């Protein structure tokens, strides 16, 4: 009988970890350096030197500004993203489980998915006003589709042998959902959530550009309208950094939640 | 204990009409270990799924303890061939074994833990409780599936070609494991296989199926000693005779006839094929 292989993937040596970090940071650093060098003597109002942008940015984005503009944006995004996740998974499980429901809803879903969410902003403003509710609704209306459609696919793809095993051992109802359907669909659900997150960031900004009194998108538009160009650029950079940070957090959560899935795939590749 | 009566299963769909099983009748006494052997494509898996309540027969019935089977009956555990697809890859070994027990309302948490530990010990996997199934070899994964069945404390254990996908050495070990567990637990076992040697080595009785359209070709009582091991049992002239007999029956089934007559009395070794 073969021995069980190691329980965990081998821990990366510090040197390889360092190398990977350098590889990941290499290009951004080069790009920033090029930007810095090329824009250094720029007198163009619209393309200020990177140095000016960064210096202005440090003055603009004070702790107070972060509480009034960044925190509300992030909160709307998180609330909208979470709501879309819950809604998408719940509907996806129902649609994926019952073929008849799927047959009825599929054409409608394809249509709704094809509508670009930003067009809905003026419409949503009509009934949700211009407050936080509107922004959250906009984010939900865009984020829900990738989650929903991926969940449907994931639920439909539950392995037939696993499903029969569960049935034979009397695992039904909520236990089946919790121990079979959701874990089995979780790789697809996470793929949907990842798409939803980037859509969510876009919609967060757009909804704030339409009608808002605070938020990152609002701030960027305000700076642009008042010809505060370095400030505007600093806001755009901050948005980019926020996106990277959210993606990193998402990846860490996914790694943890899908550890079994990545391990399974590794073991299939090597065997 | 378990009666299969005039079981027939026809798959219909897309204008096709496939008769997987034509007419199967046999029964198992409580505590018996019966092997069903038949050529590939003769509907063995269909038979097992009907017995497990996972498939509705077209006609005929499966009766377990006097109750007609219409869905998965409680107290019946199943071990599938595809161990890689019947263990939950997102659960550790311990949780895989425990999951069916959690559906039994009257089993307390402490008792569950005890059953899981005992079952893993019985299959020789004490120190892998915290591993994921895909970290184990194929033979070990099938042991986990067996442990899951054992922990369930079934009255009937159904096994569908469980060792078809493991290497020969592991297979011999697992066959001995099944015999031992059967003797220790007093459970009724229906073991399906395409391997004649395996059927004779394991079973107290062998049900030989014909090729499609499937009927029961023959039933043989395996009068080998209860204590069996690979070294001696397989060298036993009686073992060789029985396997020859099963082989002949399967060949005859393919031609569409029967060999007939009782099992030949023991013969000297030099006359054996």
């Amino acid at each position: 009988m073969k021995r069980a292989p190691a329980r965990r993937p081998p821990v990366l040596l510090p040197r390889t970890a360092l190398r990977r970090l350098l590889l990941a940071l290499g290009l951004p650093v080069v790009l920033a350096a090029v930007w810095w060098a090329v824009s250094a003597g720029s007198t163009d109002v619209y393309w200020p030197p990177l140095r000016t942008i960064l210096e202005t940015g440090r003055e603009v984005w004070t702790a107070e500004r972060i509480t009034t503009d960044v925190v509300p944006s992030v909160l709307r995004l998180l609330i909208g993203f979470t709501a879309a996740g819950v809604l998408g998974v719940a509907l996806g499980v129902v649609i994926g489980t019952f073929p008849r429901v799927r047959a009825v809803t599929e054409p409608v879903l394809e249509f709704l998915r094809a509508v670009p969410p930003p067009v809905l902003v003026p419409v949503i403003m009509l009934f949700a006003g211009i407050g936080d509710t509107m922004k959250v609704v906009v984010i939900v209306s865009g984020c829900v589709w990738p989650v929903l459609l991926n969940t449907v696919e994931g639920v439909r793809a539950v392995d037939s042998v696993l499903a029969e095993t569960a049935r034979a051992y009397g695992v039904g109802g909520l236990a089946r959902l919790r121990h079979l359907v959701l874990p089995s669909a979780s790789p697809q659900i996470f793929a949907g959530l990842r798409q939803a997150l980037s859509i969510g960031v876009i919609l967060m900004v757009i909804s704030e550009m339409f009608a808002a009194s605070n938020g990152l998108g609002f701030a960027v538009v305000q700076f642009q309208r008042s010809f505060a160009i370095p400030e505007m650029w600093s806001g755009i950079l901050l948005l980019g950094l926020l996106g990277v940070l959210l993606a990193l957090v998402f990846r860490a959560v996914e790694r943890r939640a899908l550890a079994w899935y990545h391990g399974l795939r590794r073991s299939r590749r090597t065997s | 204990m378990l009666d299969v009566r005039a079981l027939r299963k026809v798959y219909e769909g897309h204008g096709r009409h496939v008769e997987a099983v034509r007419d199967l009748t046999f029964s198992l006494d409580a505590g018996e270990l019966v092997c069903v052997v038949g050529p590939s494509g003769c509907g063995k898996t269909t038979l097992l799924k009907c017995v497990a309540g996972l498939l509705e027969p077209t006609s005929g019935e499966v009766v377990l303890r006097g109750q007609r089977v219409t869905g998965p009956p409680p107290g019946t555990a199943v071990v599938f061939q595809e161990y890689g697809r019947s263990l939950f890859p997102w659960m550790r070994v311990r949780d895989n074994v425990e999951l069916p027990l959690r559906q039994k309302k009257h089993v307390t948490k402490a008792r569950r833990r005890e059953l899981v530990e005992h079952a893993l010990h019985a299959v020789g996997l004490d120190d892998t409780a915290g591993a994921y199934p895909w970290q184990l070899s194929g033979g070990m994964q099938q042991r986990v599936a067996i442990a899951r069945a054992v922990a369930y404390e079934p009255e009937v254990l159904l096994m569908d070609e469980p060792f078809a996908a493991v290497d020969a050495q592991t297979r011999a070990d697992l066959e001995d494991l099944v015999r031992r567990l059967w003797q220790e637990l007093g459970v009724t076992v229906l073991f399906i296989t395409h391997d004649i040697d395996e059927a004779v080595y394991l079973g107290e009785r062998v049900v030989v199926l014909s090729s499609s359209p499937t009927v029961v070709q023959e039933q043989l009582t395996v009068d080998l000693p209860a204590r069996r091991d690979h070294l001696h049992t397989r060298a036993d002239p009686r073992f060789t005779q029985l396997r020859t007999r099963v082989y002949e029956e399967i060949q005859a089934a393919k031609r569409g006839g029967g060999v007939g007559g009782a099992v030949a009395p023991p013969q000297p070794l030099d006359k054996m094929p």
Side-chain angles (χ1 to χ4, degrees):
Chain A
M1 194 165 69
K2 277 184 255 166
R3 280 297 306 160
R7 302 258 166 101
R8 286 166 191 283
V11 180
L12 283 175
L13 294 169
R15 261 178 65 189
T16 24
L18 192 69
R19 244 183 80 188
R20 275 184 27 182
L21 189 70
L22 286 178
L23 277 176
L25 287 179
L27 189 58
V29 167
V30 169
L31 286 177
V34 169
W35 186 1
W36 184 283
V38 169
S39 65
S42 170
T43 50
D44 190 328
V45 188
Y46 301 110
W47 301 99
L50 179 56
R51 189 176 165 171
T52 317
I53 296 175
L54 292 180
E55 278 168 357
T56 320
R58 211 161 42 202
E59 288 160 25
V60 171
W61 300 104
T62 54
E64 196 199 335
R65 187 105 208 189
I66 287 176
T67 21
T68 55
D69 282 328
V70 182
V71 172
S73 288
V74 173
L75 276 181
R76 285 168 199 148
L77 174 62
L78 291 184
I79 293 171
F81 177 72
T82 311
V86 173
L87 195 67
V89 170
L91 288 175
V93 165
V94 173
I95 295 171
T97 308
F98 305 104
R100 202 160 289 169
V101 178
R102 189 164 58 87
V104 171
T105 51
E106 202 153 50
V108 183
L109 292 180
E110 289 295 331
F111 174 78
L112 288 175
R113 187 180 64 140
V115 176
V119 227
L120 293 175
V121 176
V123 184
I124 293 171
M125 273 168 69
L126 286 180
F127 62 86
I130 56 166
D132 288 334
T133 317
M134 179 274 274
K135 288 158 194 98
V136 170
V137 171
V138 168
I139 292 170
V140 172
S141 71
C143 290
V144 76
W145 307 112
V147 183
L148 173 59
L149 296 170
N150 277 285
T151 306
V152 171
E153 289 313 307
V155 168
R156 288 181 61 205
V158 170
D159 186 276
S160 59
V161 177
L162 271 186
E164 275 181 341
T165 304
R167 230 186 116 203
Y169 283 110
V171 181
L174 277 181
R176 185 175 188 277
L177 186 68
R178 186 176 149 207
H179 297 297
L180 174 66
V181 177
L182 286 180
S184 173
S186 61
Q188 265 109 322
I189 293 175
F190 268 94
L193 286 172
R194 192 171 24 214
Q195 290 175 32
L197 187 60
S198 43
I199 294 174
V201 173
I202 295 169
L203 290 177
M204 169 191 90
V205 175
I206 289 179
S207 66
E208 288 169 355
M209 284 177 166
F210 267 89
S213 52
N214 63 2
L216 264 169
F218 169 75
V220 169
V221 171
Q222 281 300 103
F223 289 138
Q224 184 244 337
R225 283 183 186 152
S226 53
F227 290 97
I229 303 302
E231 285 83 351
M232 177 196 82
W233 278 111
S234 72
I236 293 172
L237 274 182
L238 189 63
L239 268 171
L241 286 177
L242 180 68
V244 170
L245 185 71
L246 287 172
L248 283 177
V249 171
F250 183 84
R251 200 153 82 183
V253 172
E254 188 208 29
R255 283 241 171 116
R256 244 190 110 78
L258 295 184
W260 66 269
Y261 178 67
H262 297 304
L264 177 69
R265 285 187 34 174
R266 265 199 304 277
S267 78
R268 289 216 174 126
R269 270 204 296 277
T270 52
S271 67
Chain B
M1 171 72 174
L2 177 65
D3 290 299
V4 178
R5 295 174 187 159
L7 188 78
R8 178 162 183 266
K9 178 69 189 175
V10 179
Y11 293 102
E12 305 253 18
H14 304 290
R16 287 182 64 218
H17 175 95
V18 181
E19 189 177 39
V21 168
R22 174 165 287 179
D23 180 11
L24 293 181
T25 301
F26 62 90
S27 59
L28 271 69
D29 291 333
E32 217 183 353
L33 197 175
V34 173
C35 290
V36 173
V37 67
S40 54
C42 78
K44 295 188 291 285
T45 297
T46 302
L47 163 67
L48 182 119
K49 283 187 180 168
C50 287
V51 174
L54 295 169
L55 261 185
E56 186 87 18
T58 307
S59 64
E61 57 182 0
V62 176
V63 178
L64 179 64
R65 272 178 262 106
Q67 293 257 334
R68 189 185 171 143
V69 172
T70 50
T76 299
V78 186
V79 177
F80 292 98
Q81 179 188 335
E82 304 98 327
Y83 50 79
R85 290 169 58 198
S86 90
L87 296 173
F88 295 77
W90 45 84
M91 289 183 188
R92 294 173 192 278
V93 164
R94 180 192 302 117
D95 302 320
N96 261 289
V97 176
E98 193 186 1
L99 180 65
L101 294 173
R102 294 168 68 152
Q103 315 312 315
K104 291 185 170 184
K105 294 282 173 286
H106 58 278
V107 182
T108 62
K109 202 171 172 185
R111 175 74 181 139
R112 284 206 305 261
R113 196 167 305 155
E114 197 182 352
L115 283 167
V116 169
E117 229 166 81
H118 182 260
L120 285 174
H121 178 72
V123 301
L125 286 180
D126 301 80
D127 45 355
T128 54
Y132 283 105
W134 38 265
Q135 292 173 318
L136 308 176
S137 68
M140 289 167 94
Q141 290 185 38
Q142 199 55 295
R143 277 171 197 264
V144 176
I146 293 172
R148 177 170 64 187
V150 166
Y152 196 57
E153 296 185 300
E155 289 172 68
V156 179
L157 175 57
L158 305 173
M159 305 184 94
D160 182 18
E161 302 202 40
F163 311 141
V166 297
D167 61 89
Q169 181 56 53
T170 308
R171 183 176 191 149
D173 290 343
L174 290 171
E175 284 165 6
D176 287 336
L177 174 67
V178 167
R179 288 269 320 166
R180 200 189 80 222
L181 290 173
W182 167 68
Q183 280 163 337
E184 284 174 10
L185 304 173
V187 62
T188 310
V189 182
L190 181 64
F191 190 104
I192 286 182
T193 176
H194 64 266
D195 185 315
I196 296 167
D197 286 41
E198 184 168 77
V200 174
Y201 181 77
L202 279 180
E204 298 296 291
R205 194 147 57 85
V206 177
V207 175
V208 183
L209 301 186
S210 72
S211 48
S212 191
T214 312
V215 296
V216 173
Q217 174 82 11
E218 177 70 286
Q219 298 199 39
L220 296 174
T221 303
V222 178
D223 48 3
L224 292 168
R227 275 193 66 88
R228 300 179 192 176
D229 67 80
H230 280 273
L231 207 56
H232 298 99
T233 308
R234 283 175 189 270
D236 189 328
R238 187 65 188 147
F239 176 83
T240 324
Q241 258 171 13
L242 284 162
R243 69 177 288 268
T244 306
R245 180 64 202 282
V246 174
Y247 183 75
E248 282 169 357
E249 283 296 345
I250 287 179
Q251 291 305 315
K254 283 185 189 164
R255 290 193 305 270
V259 176
V263 183
Q267 287 171 1
L269 263 178
D270 55 315
K271 284 190 184 169
M272 297 308 298

